[in-house]
Amino acid sequence: MPRTTSTRPLGEWTASAAHVRAVVLSAGAAVAAVVGSRPALLVIAAPLVVAAIWGQLTRPRGEAVAEVTLSNGTLREGDVASIVVRVIGTPNADGVVTLASSRWVERKPRSGVAPIEDGVGSLALRTTRWGRRQVGTVSVSLSSDWGAYRVGPTDVPDLATATLPVPAAFDASAPTPHPRGLIGLNRSARSGSGSEFNTIRQFHPGDRLRRIHWPVSLRTGELHVTSTYADEDAHVLLVVDAFSDLGPREGVDGRPTSLDLTVRAAGAISEHFLSSGDRLTLRTVGAAHVPPLGAGSGGRHLRRVLETLASISPASERRDDGERAVRGVDANALCLVLTPLVDQTMVGLAHTLAARGMTTVVVDTFPEHLTDNPGSVYEALAWRIRLLSRQAQVQSLITRGVPVVPWHGPGSLDHVLRDIARRASAPRMGRRR
């Protein structure tokens, strides 16, 4: 869970080396002036005497406690948050707050050092990749007037943040196959209360008066109403491949890895279907400690989907065969398997779903830039051999009747969803009794 507040006592105030020097030199000058009868030494040491006395009189008496607060514990990739440090006990103390460097966290200022004035200091950070992580160690040090006494630097317990993936741009104009719920935006095969025109028929008791079609009613002399197709919701199952994370990890500002593409595509697809009123289930394969997310709909469920995606740790459960991920799934659900098709487990899982008669689509999230500029001849040869093996796996899925669609953002699934909907509405041969 994100940790946005941390508190720790900074310890006891101790005399600084500058204050000790001022006290020793001023005392030595006073003794030398008296013993040697040289008053000029007192005039020379007067500034040191003033600094030593002033620093001693303004010595902080209370215990300093640092309270560090992160403005937002849940961020999106590329978002900026602020860290505010408040000193309790000695509110007028000045000092420095330091944020240690951490991967995928950019500091502002880049040095990670900010002043504390009148007991308050702040700096900013920017997260550049999805996931749950600590933002870095925060160290606080304070000093009194003239730098006479100081406390710290003391490390405050680390703050933690959850960075949600930014869904890629995605939209699909094709209908979702197998709608059979009660609400949603998908057109049903049966007539009912909806928004898409079906036909004009005679008025029946119970029809709404606002649906009366007056031109036909006046022409025929009998009341006629417009009928519509019912709007229903569909069930979508997302299966996310967490076995592989191929490519350089450059964050939101650089080239995506295979897992970046998979996670962001899953977020975009979830946002599209949930905004259409459909129900969505999320399952991950190959990641430990990621609980399966049951069916749900709406904006709150989208937030849960993104939080679940952010908790993925790649290849943390290599023995996962995917059977637990597809257990108890609705047989009429649209199964979207998001994978770069590198691990054989995901290929076998897609075959298993198709063998159970479920509508299955494999979304290929393999990054094209991985093979664009190989670093050596041997690397190019290795990729060529691996891609040939991968092409054979893709062909086995297509032969099985499982479409494999490369992920290209908006419109990636339009063609295959239209084909599935057309196939579902086509007449089928029935067994004669």
Side-chain angles (χ1 to χ4, degrees), residues 258-342:
S258 62
L259 191 57
D260 289 340
L261 276 180
T262 302
V263 168
R264 292 167 186 166
I269 293 174
S270 300
E271 187 176 24
H272 168 74
F273 285 112
L274 290 176
S275 63
S276 301
D278 294 327
R279 291 169 289 118
L280 186 131
T281 301
L282 177 66
R283 304 290 171 86
T284 59
V285 183
H289 311 298
V290 180
L293 188 61
S297 59
R300 184 174 298 179
H301 191 65
L302 175 61
R303 179 63 175 265
R304 289 194 291 265
V305 169
L306 296 178
E307 290 177 350
T308 302
L309 293 174
S311 63
I312 292 178
S313 179
S316 54
E317 184 53 73
R318 301 295 304 180
R319 296 175 296 177
D320 192 357
D321 58 358
E323 187 62 32
R324 181 178 59 90
V326 298
R327 187 178 302 161
V329 178
D330 184 4
N332 291 318
L334 170 63
C335 301
L336 300 178
V337 182
L338 286 81
T339 173
L341 290 171
V342 173

Side-chain angles (χ1 to χ4, degrees), residues 18 22-23 25-26 29 40-55 146:
V23 172
L25 290 177
S26 60
L41 291 177
L42 293 178
V43 177
I44 296 175
L48 294 176
V49 173
V50 173
I53 295 175
W54 195 339
W146 291 90

Side-chain angles (χ1 to χ4, degrees), residues 156-235:
V156 181
D158 289 349
L159 304 177
T161 180
T163 304
L164 306 182
V166 175
F170 175 72
D171 189 19
S173 58
T176 309
H178 311 307
R180 64 189 192 100
L182 299 176
I183 58 175
L185 301 179
N186 299 298
R187 199 199 80 172
S188 171
R190 61 179 177 83
S191 60
S193 179
S195 57
E196 188 168 347
F197 175 77
N198 181 13
T199 185
I200 299 177
R201 57 171 176 80
Q202 288 189 347
F203 179 85
H204 295 159
D207 289 337
R208 296 184 178 182
L209 297 180
R210 63 183 180 88
R211 291 196 176 275
I212 296 178
H213 193 275
W214 290 107
V216 176
S217 300
L218 293 175
R219 187 172 65 252
T220 60
E222 297 180 356
L223 286 178
H224 283 70
V225 295
T226 56
S227 65
T228 56
Y229 289 105
D231 291 335
E232 296 180 327
D233 63 304
H235 187 189

